C-alpha cells in the first residue's frame, strides 16, 4: 500500500494516539544516506571510473557476485600499491562522499526528536561509513551501525585492506533467496529489535519501524520484519549520472535522462509478489529526491 506525505501524517497521528511506543528509523547507507556507491566511489577517486569498472567486471566474471567485498578490498589495495595512497588518503575520500542536502536534514530532524532513534544497516564497510559520519558530524545520530568490518593489516611492512562479513558475528545466515552471504538485513534488524527489548525490559512494546532504503537486499526486511504499524520509505526512479565526479552536499537534480540504472527495491518487491505471493504488510512510500524524502519524514515526525 503506497501513501503520500499527507496520508502518512494522518496514519502516524492515528497510531500515536493508540500506541505509546518509540520509533526507530533504520537507514541503508549507499544511495540513501549518501548519493553514490561507497564501494565504487572511493577507489574511483584514485584509479578512475573506467579502470574501476573494468576491474570489477573482470573479478565478478572470475569469482562471481558473492565475492563483491573481496573485489572492493582488492581495489583499495590497488590504490595503495599503484597510487601510493595511505590509509588516511583512502578515508579522506570516503569522508567526502556526496549526499543530498535534504536527506541530511531529514537525518538531523530525526536525531533531534526525543521519541526517535536511528540505526544504519549497510552492505558497505565500517571504515568508509565512520569517516563519512565523522566528517559530517552525524556520528552521534545513530544508536547502532551494522555493516561489514574493514581493517588494515600489516604483513612484512606492507599494509593491506581486508573486509570481514557482517554476518560472521552470527556465524552466517540462512536466507538464500534475496541476501548475499555477507549480510541479511532481516537477521540484523531482528537482532537490533531484540537488543532494544533487552535494554527496555521484556514487557516493553516493539518500536515502530521506519525503514529507508533503495536496494534489493532492503526488500528482505520489508517483507519479513515490517508490519502494519511500520513504514517503508523506498527509493524509486533512476540514479544520478556520474556520482563519482562530485563530493559533499548536493542539491536535487532531474534524473529523467539518466542512464546509470534504477533503484532495485520496488522491482524486487514486485518480483516477490509475482513469484511467491509475498507483499509488504507495511505502508510503502516511494521517494527519489531529498525534498520528497524530507517531506515524508516530516509527515511521520509531526
Amino acid at each position: 500500500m503506497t501513501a503520500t506525505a499527507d496520508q502518512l501524517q494522518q496514519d502516524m497521528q492515528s497510531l500515536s494516539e493508540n500506541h505509546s511506543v518509540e520509533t526507530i528509523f533504520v537507514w541503508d547507507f549507499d544511495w540513501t544516506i549518501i548519493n553514490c556507491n561507497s564501494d565504487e566511489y572511493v577507489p574511483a577517486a584514485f584509479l578512475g571510473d573506467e579502470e574501476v569498472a573494468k576491474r570489477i567486471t573482470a573479478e565478478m566474471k572470475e569469482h562471481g557476485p558473492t565475492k563483491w567485498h573481496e573485489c572492493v578490498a582488492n581495489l583499495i589495495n590497488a590504490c595503495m600499491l599503484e597510487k601510493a595512497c595511505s590509509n588516511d588518503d583512502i578515508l579522506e575520500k570516503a569522508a567526502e562522499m556526496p549526499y543530498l542536502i535534504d536527506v541530511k536534514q531529514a537525518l538531523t530532524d530525526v536525531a533531534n526528536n526525543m521519541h526517535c532513534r536511528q540505526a544504519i544497516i549497510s552492505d558497505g564497510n565500517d571504515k568508509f561509513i565512520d569517516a563519512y559520519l565523522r566528517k559530517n558530524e552525524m556520528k552521534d545520530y545513530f544508536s547502532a551501525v551494522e555493516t561489514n568490518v574493514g581493517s588494515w593489516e600489516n604483513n612484512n611492512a606492507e599494509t593491506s585492506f581486508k573486509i570481514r562479513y557482517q554476518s560472521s558475528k552470527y556465524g552466517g545466515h540462512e536466507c538464500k533467496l534475496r541476501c548475499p552471504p555477507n549480510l541479511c538485513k532481516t537477521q540484523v534488524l531482528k537482532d537490533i529489535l531484540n537488543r532494544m527489548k533487552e535494554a527496555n525490559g521484556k514487557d516493553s512494546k516493539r518500536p515502530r519501524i521506519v525503514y529507508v532504503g533503495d536496494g534489493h537486499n532492503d526488500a528482505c526486511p520489508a517483507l519479513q520484519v515490517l508490519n502494519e504499524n511500520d513504514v517503508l520509505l523506498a527509493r524509486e526512479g533512476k540514479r544520478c549520472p556520474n556520482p563519482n565526479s562530485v563530493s559533499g552536499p548536493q542539491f536535487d537534480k532531474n534524473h529523467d535522462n539518466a542512464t546509470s540504472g534504477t533503484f532495485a527495491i520496488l522491482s524486487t518487491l514486485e518480483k516477490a509478489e509475482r513469484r511467491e505471493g509475498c507483499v509488504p504488510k507495511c505502508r510503502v512510500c516511494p521517494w527519489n529526491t531529498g525534498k520528497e524524502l524530507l517531506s515524508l519524514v516530516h509527515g511521520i515526525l509531526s
Side-chain angles (χ1 to χ4, degrees):
M1 181 186 298
T2 59
T4 65
D6 289 341
Q7 291 171 332
L8 191 58
Q9 181 176 349
Q10 293 173 4
D11 289 346
M12 292 301 102
Q13 287 174 341
S14 176
L15 288 170
S16 297
E17 291 169 0
N18 295 296
H19 300 276
S20 178
V21 297
E22 65 179 328
T23 298
I24 180 168
F25 281 73
V26 180
W27 299 80
D28 176 41
F29 187 71
D30 292 340
W31 287 113
T32 301
I33 291 179
I34 60 172
N35 206 38
C36 68
N37 183 328
S38 60
D39 290 337
E40 298 174 0
Y41 183 92
V42 175
F46 303 97
L47 301 174
D49 283 345
E50 291 186 7
E51 184 62 24
V52 166
K54 183 175 74 173
R55 297 190 189 197
I56 288 175
T57 299
E59 290 218 21
M60 292 299 96
K61 184 176 181 180
E62 181 178 358
H63 302 295
T66 61
K67 298 299 182 180
W68 173 263
H69 291 285
E70 289 81 355
C71 173
V72 173
N74 290 339
L75 287 170
I76 297 302
N77 289 326
C79 294
M80 299 174 72
L81 289 172
E82 298 171 24
K83 303 298 181 180
C85 300
S86 67
N87 303 6
D88 289 340
D89 293 332
I90 299 294
L91 296 180
E92 182 178 337
K93 288 301 178 183
E96 296 174 355
M97 292 184 289
Y99 63 88
L100 295 178
I101 292 171
D102 282 335
V103 171
K104 184 181 179 183
Q105 186 62 55
L107 287 155
T108 301
D109 291 345
V110 176
N112 290 333
N113 188 297
M114 63 181 296
H115 301 294
C116 300
R117 67 174 67 190
Q118 299 185 96
I120 293 173
I121 305 178
S122 169
D123 199 13
N125 71 78
D126 63 340
K127 290 292 184 287
F128 294 177
I129 293 174
D130 185 71
Y132 170 83
L133 295 179
R134 289 182 184 277
K135 169 74 173 180
N136 292 283
E137 299 181 336
M138 293 193 290
K139 179 73 173 176
D140 294 336
Y141 285 11
F142 303 95
S143 57
V145 177
E146 291 289 347
T147 186
N148 305 293
V149 179
S151 62
W152 309 100
E153 299 185 4
N154 296 313
N155 296 310
N156 300 322
E158 190 174 276
T159 301
S160 63
F161 186 67
K162 295 185 180 297
I163 298 176
R164 176 166 52 87
Y165 289 177
Q166 190 282 334
S167 62
S168 65
K169 72 182 290 184
Y170 308 114
H173 70 77
E174 298 180 353
C175 181
K176 307 295 185 183
L177 296 178
R178 304 177 184 89
C179 297
N182 65 288
L183 173 69
C184 172
K185 293 192 175 186
T186 288
Q187 181 182 49
V188 177
L189 182 52
K190 287 181 176 179
D191 182 40
I192 290 174
L193 293 174
N194 286 336
R195 297 199 309 255
M196 290 178 67
K197 191 173 186 65
E198 290 177 1
N200 296 335
K202 64 179 182 179
D203 295 327
S204 61
K205 294 180 180 179
R206 173 192 179 278
R208 183 182 307 124
I209 300 169
V210 179
Y211 192 103
V212 193
D214 72 280
H216 66 87
N217 60 355
D218 296 307
C220 187
L223 290 169
Q224 299 194 67
V225 182
L226 272 60
N227 63 29
E228 294 85 353
N229 292 336
D230 301 327
V231 181
L232 172 65
L233 304 182
R235 196 167 191 188
E236 65 175 354
K238 298 180 179 180
R239 299 171 184 164
C240 68
N242 306 316
N244 299 337
S245 66
V246 297
S247 62
Q250 303 293 312
F251 291 101
D252 290 331
K253 297 177 181 178
N254 188 330
H255 302 154
D256 290 342
N257 297 320
T259 59
S260 54
T262 58
F263 299 110
I265 182 169
L266 291 178
S267 62
T268 303
L269 292 174
E270 291 169 359
K271 289 178 183 177
E273 182 176 6
R274 288 198 310 270
R275 297 175 180 177
E276 306 161 34
C278 298
V279 295
K281 298 176 182 177
C282 62
R283 180 77 81 165
V284 179
C285 302
W287 66 280
N288 178 261
T289 66
K291 181 179 180 180
E292 291 168 346
L293 178 65
L294 183 59
S295 176
L296 291 168
V297 169
H298 283 174
I300 293 169
L301 296 181
S302 64

